[in-house]
Each structure stands twice: as structure tokens, then as C-alpha cells.
Amino acid sequence: MSGRRLEVYLFLLAVLLNGLNFLPVLDSPYLGDDSWCESSISGAVQLSQTSLFDMCWNAEKDFIRSGRWYPLVIYYYPAFYYLDQNLYKAVTVLMIICNVALFGYFVKLVTFSTSAGLIATLLPPLFCQLRTYHDPILSYYFLMQLEFLFLLASLVFFVWYLRGSKRRFWYLSLLSYTVCLLTYEASYTFWIMHIAVGYLHFGKQAPGKIARAAWPFLLVALVNMGVTLLIRAKFGTHYEGVSLNLSVGDWVATFLKQLVSALPLSYLLTHGFEASREFAGSYFLKDLIAVCAFWAVLWWLVSDHAFAKDRVQTANGRASLILLGLGLWILPAAIVPFSAKYQRELTWGLGYLPVYISCFGVMMVAVFGLVSLYSAAGKLGQRSKFVLTCAIALVGTVVCAITYSDNRTVIEKYNIAEHYHRRIVEDALKNGLLRPVPNGSYLICSPPVRSWDSPAFYRMHSGLTVQVVRPAGFEPDVQLGNNLVETAFAGYQVPGASSFYDFRRKDARNRTFLGYEAQFKGIGWPILAPVVGSTNGKDDTKAFFIRYESKSRGSGYAILGRVVTMKADNRSIQGVSCGGLYVYVAAPRAHSCANVMVTGSWIDDTTLKPGDPFRLTGKDLKLISSGPHGKLYEASFAAGKHLDATSVAATLETTDN
């Protein structure tokens, strides 16, 4: 096999194995803003009876009123509108693969070394750490992947222009950097990378040529920053994340934390190994072994190739790795520390979103170390080279294994905390759990407070417009259109009985719910506000109680009860009596549901004191609908009896398909 063909195969294999390493991202949940806001954009558009274009246009104006200038970030509205969770995660992984491939090419381009480019493609699985925080891979609409893609494209076009003097590449480079600036605010300093590339090309003896080639990038950054300052002078800032704290000491401390978080294993070393070992044995040991085997072979092949093929022999090639690597590491970390929010939140090993780009900067520095090692060992005998090749492959594989294990652990923790619960209720809604609920009804969500419980979420998955009521505990509830108990049910409160509500009251007077509208009040996000009017008579709006639970993948239950009376306040729900019950149960994909049993306690609807326990089985459950791995039942029991919805649980036996 020719050397050129082998290099192509090794490059493609390295890129594909990067995809394998990040494949678990496909099974991760919506997190952060994605979970409570962005993932429900489709429902918000439907509820507000507006168009996606109008929603985007109004959001653009609202971003400006909130003191922020990054107009192209609005791409995430159509992204979430058109992509479901599986496609969204698939696009994220695809973007990472594109980043790795272009990064490897960029390293090869600036060093004139195929070996250096190959080594660069081996490093992302060692450096890209997932974190239980605002993670640039697991959340935030592949923003950092897009930013890095535009930055790399700009630098590649700039190198092509300098080497070929074709003006169109200069325009493409400037355009790519402008798009980068208009998509996210942390890219103000990236123009320095173009000066560094110009310096490496022209040398320190030609500052005029460097300035002529690179000054427009500085100008674009300054203009963009000027627009931002004008906007903030007029509207102020309403988000702590962009509120400045210019304390030098706070900036230095946060800057160092952001830099350190880009180092390999930094998150794991500061947050512990124990959980990773436990989760590996329980969830993904076979995957870990397979990944290690693949990477061990690839590390050995690339190391062996590096000894036999070209290395970075020129001083300029090695200087490129150091200078550009330090730039990519430091510059993304320079803006974040000015934020008062991140000065407070960041810890050692825990960096904010731009750490994703900084990781690639540290990778370039690591490539410098490795190619220097290969060059220094070039005069060794064959046996010594073989031993060194095996040692490098072993170290690379071990660090890759540790990082992969910790990344999978972070994903599994999130799955247990959020993913399984959300999937259960989504499946229940698609199978008709809210079928008995009239449009406009109250839907009381049981604790714990989950970020996605909102009118937009339930509209997306059931097609219904409901008024979501739940205990306090989630700050953006008002933005989501959610209600607190005491506000929503003031007309149903029993006189003289604190926090006691009776939905059978014939004299109940409550607000008339007319729907929702999207309001924009300068906070940077739309507010889904209920539209209400005064009532001219009895309010016939029904109230329903929903609770769902999942402890493992693909299994769990969701219950819906028609509420008769309730004792609750804004902070907690003490008791709920229901006169009707619907139950959705699901089994893992390898099994099917059988012998469903529903348990709980009867309850007195006047005192809400729990009574005797009950157990409902096959003869008491009427099958309403059936999906591939879940079934919806209506429970039947004696008229006049009421059950405590907070006590209901569903269990089932499973049979192999």
C-alpha cells in the first residue's frame, strides 16, 4: 500500500473513531436551556398562534433589548422547531466529527506535516470532557461546534490566501470570521489568530504585510463590539451572564479556572473517580473495552507511521503548533472571566462553553510535544522505536479510556435524573394519556419540579392546550406560562379552610382562560403568557393531576387523575383526591407489558386523610390504547370512591417478546 493511501485510511479511521467515542451523546437528554425552553419552541409557536418567522423576528429584537448582540444565534429556533431530539443529537455528533476532521487538516496545513495532522485527530477523545454543568457538547444547540467550524474555516481560507494570493479566499476568511462574531459573543478576540497566522507566514521582518492582511479582522471585531456597547448603553443588560465585573482579582482567578478546565482529565481529577468506576461496571463496560481496543490499534499504527514518515522538521512548523495552540487555548477563555455570573459559578476543572475551543488549542500544544518526541527518537534502533510506539499507544489509550468512562458516567447520571422520566411522559402523551382532558383544563404537575413541564411541552406531545399548575421551585416558570396553586385556584378555595380546594364548588368564580400569547419584554427569550378574561358565571374548567416515574430505560408509568379536592399551597401538594384514573405503563424494548397492577390508597375527599390501601389488577383496568412497549388503561372502581393520586404507583410483570 502506498504511503499516501495509508495516510488517507488512517485519517478516515481516526475521524470515524472520534464519531464512535461521541456516539453516546446520541442517547443523552436535553439539558440546560435546551430542556426547559428551546426544546419546546414548536409548542410555543403553536400555542401563541404565530409563525416561526415572527417568533424569530421578535426574539431578535428582544435579544437587542436585553443588551446582547449576536443576531445569527437565532438559528437555534428553526433548529429546535424542525429537529426532534434524535436528529438534534445526531447533528451535534456530526458537527464534532466535522470539527475534528477540519482541525486535523488545519494542523497539517500549518505544519506541512501529515503526521502532525494525523496525531491531531487522535487527541479529541483525550481532551473533550463532558461535565454536569453548562456543557458545550451535551447542550446549547451545537453552538460551540458551529463557532469552531467558522473559526477554522476562516483560518484555513486565510492560509490559502497568504500562500496563493487569491483574493476570494481572503473574502471567504473575513466572511467566516464575521459569521463567527455574529453567532456568539465570546469570539471578539479571535482576530488575533489571523495576526498569528500572518506572522508565521511573513515573519517578524514584515509587520506591514501582516497588518495589511489582518487589519480588517480587527476592524470587524471592533465594529461588532461597538454595536454591543451602544446597545447596552441604550437598553442596559438583563442577564447576569453578560453583566460585567471588572475586578482584576476575580478576572484572573476565573481566567485560570477556565484555562485549567481545558486540560485533559481536569474535570475528573477535581470531581472524583469513584462514580466512573461504578457506572462502567453497571452500564457500559463492554463498550469501554471495544473503544480501548480500537484506539490502541490506531495509536500504534499512527505512532509507527510517524517514525517511518515525515515529521515536523522545520522550526516554523513547530512554532505554528505552539503559537496557534496557545492562541486557541487562551483567547476563548479571555472573555468569560469578565462575567459576574461565571466568576461566581466556575470551579477548578469546570469551565464554561468556550472551553470546547480551548481544548483544541491544548491539543495543538500536545501535538508539538508528540512530534518533538518522534523527531528526538528518530535515531533510535528498531527495538527502541517499537517500545516507544507501544508506550505512546498505551498512554493514549489509557487516557482515552478514563475520559470515555467519565463521559459515559455523566451521560448516565443525566439519563437517570432526566432522560428516562421525560421519555416516559412523552410516550404516555403520544399514547393518549390526556385523551379525557378538555382543552383549557388545569393540569397539576406532581413534584419533583421538572424543567420541561410547561404548556408548550404538553401541546407538542398531546396537541392540547392546558394550563400547567405546579409548586414553586423553578425560576423560569413565569416565562413558561406556568401557574402557582394559590394564583390559579383562588376561585376554588374552600372558605375557612386554608389551602383546601374543591373543584365541585357550584359558586366557584375563576378567571376565563382564553389561550396564550408570546410576549417579549427584553429578557432575551419569549414569555408564554396566559390570556385571561373575567368570568360571567360558573367556571366549568376541569382540573387533572399528572405524575410520572421511570427508574430505568424504557420502563415506568404515568398516571392521570381527575381532581375532586386538593390540599396544597405554592410550595407543596399535601393531598389530592381523584374520582377517575388513567394509567400508562411501559416495559423495556426487549419485553412487553403483562399483568399490570396499580396500587395506592383510598382517600376521604373532605378531610383528605388517606384511607385503606387498594390494588387494581386486570379486571379493574380497561385497555384504552397500546403502543410497541407501553399500554394505557382506564381504572374502574366504585362510584363515589376517591383515591389519593399522590400515592398511586403502577407495577408490571414483563414477558420476553
Side-chain angles (χ1 to χ4, degrees), residues 294-495:
F294 285 131
W295 279 107
V297 172
L298 187 58
W299 267 99
W300 193 92
L301 289 174
V302 171
S303 297
D304 185 63
H305 174 77
F307 279 123
K309 190 61 178 171
D310 66 304
R311 292 176 291 277
V312 184
Q313 301 287 2
T314 66
N316 191 58
R318 296 189 184 185
S320 299
L321 290 171
I322 288 294
L323 183 60
L324 298 179
L326 289 175
L328 284 178
W329 182 16
I330 294 171
L331 295 177
I335 300 296
V336 171
F338 287 109
S339 166
K341 174 180 171 66
Y342 303 118
Q343 288 175 0
R344 186 183 70 253
E345 290 184 359
L346 297 191
T347 62
W348 296 107
L350 192 69
Y352 191 53
L353 301 181
V355 69
Y356 176 83
I357 299 177
S358 291
C359 285
F360 285 89
V362 183
M363 288 180 219
M364 288 193 76
V365 176
V367 172
F368 167 80
L370 285 169
V371 296
S372 298
L373 177 62
Y374 290 130
S375 296
K379 297 180 180 180
L380 295 176
Q382 288 300 115
R383 180 175 297 180
S384 298
K385 287 183 180 179
F386 177 79
V387 172
L388 184 58
T389 298
C390 292
I392 293 172
L394 178 62
V395 172
T397 303
V398 168
V399 177
C400 176
I402 295 172
T403 305
Y404 179 85
S405 180
D406 193 54
N407 287 350
R408 284 294 301 266
T409 298
V410 169
I411 290 174
E412 292 303 331
K413 283 183 176 180
Y414 274 131
N415 283 342
I416 293 169
E418 300 196 25
H419 200 187
Y420 302 153
H421 301 291
R422 181 164 178 158
R423 280 294 173 89
I424 280 295
V425 71
E426 287 178 354
D427 290 344
L429 296 173
K430 291 172 183 175
N431 278 275
L433 180 66
L434 298 191
R435 184 177 299 179
V437 177
N439 261 310
S441 295
Y442 293 108
L443 188 66
I444 305 166
C445 295
S446 171
V449 173
R450 294 189 170 110
S451 61
W452 56 83
D453 278 330
S454 69
F457 173 82
Y458 286 101
R459 177 59 182 258
M460 285 177 61
H461 298 289
S462 71
L464 290 172
T465 299
V466 295
Q467 303 180 72
V468 172
V469 182
R470 65 184 193 177
F474 190 56
E475 185 178 352
D477 269 335
V478 173
Q479 179 183 328
L480 294 171
N482 292 334
N483 296 287
L484 294 177
V485 170
E486 294 171 2
T487 303
F489 300 139
Y492 296 101
Q493 188 167 9
V494 176

